[in-house]
Amino acid sequence: YYLLEHCDVGMTSIKNEIDKLVHYCGNRETIRRQDIEAVCTKSVESKVFNMIDAIMDNNTQLAFELLNDMITLKEPAVKIISLLSKHFYDILKVKLLLKEGATAESIANRVHIPHFAVKKYIKHAQNFSVQYLHSMIQECLKADSDIKSSKMNEWVALHMFMVKCGSNRKMV
């Protein structure tokens, strides 16, 4: 699963990453996590997923480092905000389904989220209020609107969003 978490999930991308791993590992029979981290290209979605983890774990420094890496790589700010919004929305869906008594497997099947992501989302959903998750989705929409209406520079809007994530934290 780690390769799929780490890289783009298109078949061509996965094939290219596997080819790189095979050449990198040579005759070794086992591919380790460190091998994937050493040679595979991380997808934007993977970076945003890690940024959400950092936000939810209150690791502001790591969240900003990941954001700054994406800025350096010239990732579009609107894409980052869109992915952040999607992840917060997925965590909210998981939280609401947990309240209904759904299991991790049924959640993965109902909302079409990979099992590894559902496990992380369950951890986050259990620690944060519905109100906090709603407010983060609203903040994503506001940042997106501010960027698209030219009210605010895209990177300033993203940095302000990150600050709000840390300051609006409402644990359950």
Side-chain angles (χ1 to χ4, degrees):
Y1 288 117
Y2 188 70
L3 179 65
L4 296 177
E5 276 181 49
H6 192 75
C7 305
D8 285 324
V9 290
M11 293 303 284
T12 304
S13 295
I14 292 171
K15 182 192 177 308
N16 291 339
E17 298 303 334
I18 290 172
D19 288 344
K20 286 194 289 188
L21 284 165
V22 167
H23 291 295
Y24 179 78
C25 293
N27 294 331
R28 221 178 337 124
E29 289 187 26
T30 306
I31 294 174
R32 300 178 314 246
R33 178 181 285 232
Q34 297 89 336
D35 300 326
I36 294 170
E37 290 171 357
V39 297
C40 293
T41 306
K42 259 189 151 179
S43 69
V44 177
E45 184 148 0
S46 173
K47 291 175 187 174
V48 171
F49 198 78
N50 291 340
M51 194 162 59
I52 288 283
D53 283 346
I55 291 167
M56 297 305 238
D57 292 338
N58 203 25
N59 188 342
T60 309
Q61 181 178 347
L62 177 59
F64 275 105
E65 286 173 12
L66 291 164
L67 176 59
N68 290 331
D69 287 348
M70 287 186 271
I71 291 169
T72 302
L73 295 170
K74 299 186 191 262
E75 296 294 349
V78 232
K79 181 176 183 178
I80 296 168
I81 289 172
S82 172
L83 288 169
L84 285 165
S85 178
K86 177 196 175 304
H87 285 295
F88 277 113
Y89 184 65
D90 286 345
I91 295 168
L92 178 61
K93 286 190 286 188
V94 166
K95 181 162 189 76
L96 296 174
L97 288 169
L98 285 171
K99 282 186 172 187
E100 293 176 7
T103 64
E105 188 173 326
S106 69
I107 291 170
N109 293 331
R110 284 176 69 180
V111 295
H112 309 291
I113 299 173
H115 290 278
F116 70 85
V118 169
K119 288 178 184 176
K120 283 189 177 188
Y121 287 163
I122 286 173
K123 176 185 146 203
H124 297 319
Q126 291 172 333
N127 292 325
F128 294 92
S129 68
V130 169
Q131 180 185 0
Y132 172 78
L133 296 170
H134 272 292
S135 72
M136 289 303 90
I137 294 166
Q138 291 302 314
E139 290 297 336
C140 284
L141 295 172
K142 182 182 180 321
D144 186 60
S145 174
D146 287 349
I147 290 168
K148 289 178 178 172
S149 66
S150 299
K151 275 186 178 177
M152 192 176 296
N153 171 282
E154 60 188 5
W155 301 116
V156 171
L158 258 170
H159 279 91
M160 288 186 64
F161 169 79
M162 298 294 287
V163 169
K164 289 177 183 175
C165 284
S167 63
N168 289 345
R169 294 174 59 82
K170 291 201 174 98
M171 306 285 282
V172 173

